[in-house]
Amino acid sequence: MLPGLKAGFTLDARLEADSEQLMWLGLCELRVMNDRRWPWLLLVPQRPGAEEIHDMTPLDQAMLTFETNMVAQALKKATDCTKINTGALGNIVRQLHIHVIARSEGDPGWPGPVWGHGLREPYERSDLRRFAETIKAAL
């Protein structure tokens, strides 16, 4: 079994298609959303069947909060953005995942939400690697 992989856990196909693995944290797999319009990270708790935060144990909930805050601070440091947006919607992809998005005045769609705004603009591979390394260094 791969390090960090929990027995019975499978990443939702849409999350896998729309994002790239960055690293394993304690509870979550950290992924980069493949949309260069916004610095956008995803935390996916490695808990089979979890759709809502309240589906997890109190200890897992605390760990998720810790990892989300750690990632948000690193993203803020790496991007010097105006605002960090954090959310767990799950209306389309039911598997529990937390979006952590750096927003700045003047970015596409500011001040509105990123969801449903235009078409995704995938990263060039070299830009995705550079962003990933910047986030790793900030963590």
Side-chain angles (χ1 to χ4, degrees):
M1 192 175 335
L2 295 173
L5 187 60
K6 304 300 183 234
F9 179 83
T10 305
L11 183 64
D12 181 274
R14 185 161 177 163
L15 292 178
E16 190 164 0
D18 290 349
S19 63
E20 300 284 332
Q21 183 183 39
L22 179 58
M23 63 190 300
W24 294 97
L25 303 173
L27 171 69
C28 297
E29 178 182 0
L30 181 60
R31 300 183 67 85
V32 177
M33 191 67 135
N34 192 7
D35 190 340
R36 65 183 178 87
R37 296 176 297 167
W38 300 283
W40 186 342
L41 302 172
L42 295 173
L43 290 99
V44 185
Q46 304 296 288
R47 293 298 183 255
E51 292 186 3
E52 308 287 351
I53 294 171
H54 62 259
D55 290 338
M56 297 192 309
T57 67
L59 182 59
D60 281 351
Q61 292 173 28
M63 191 65 174
L64 179 60
T65 299
F66 174 79
E67 290 179 5
T68 301
N69 289 338
M70 180 177 69
V71 167
Q73 289 172 340
L75 187 57
K76 177 85 172 176
K77 179 181 175 184
T79 64
D80 197 32
C81 62
T82 305
K83 182 79 175 87
I84 294 288
N85 290 175
T86 305
L89 283 73
N91 297 341
I92 295 173
V93 175
R94 297 277 186 205
Q95 182 174 55
L96 179 59
H97 60 288
I98 310 296
H99 298 266
V100 181
I101 309 163
R103 300 296 307 276
S104 294
E105 293 182 36
D107 75 25
W110 176 269
V114 298
W115 293 278
H117 182 84
L119 297 175
R120 181 168 63 106
E121 297 177 15
Y123 281 98
E124 295 291 331
R125 294 307 296 171
S126 60
D127 292 336
L128 183 62
R129 278 192 301 278
R130 192 172 13 262
F131 177 59
E133 291 307 315
T134 300
I135 295 303
K136 285 180 184 178
L139 285 169

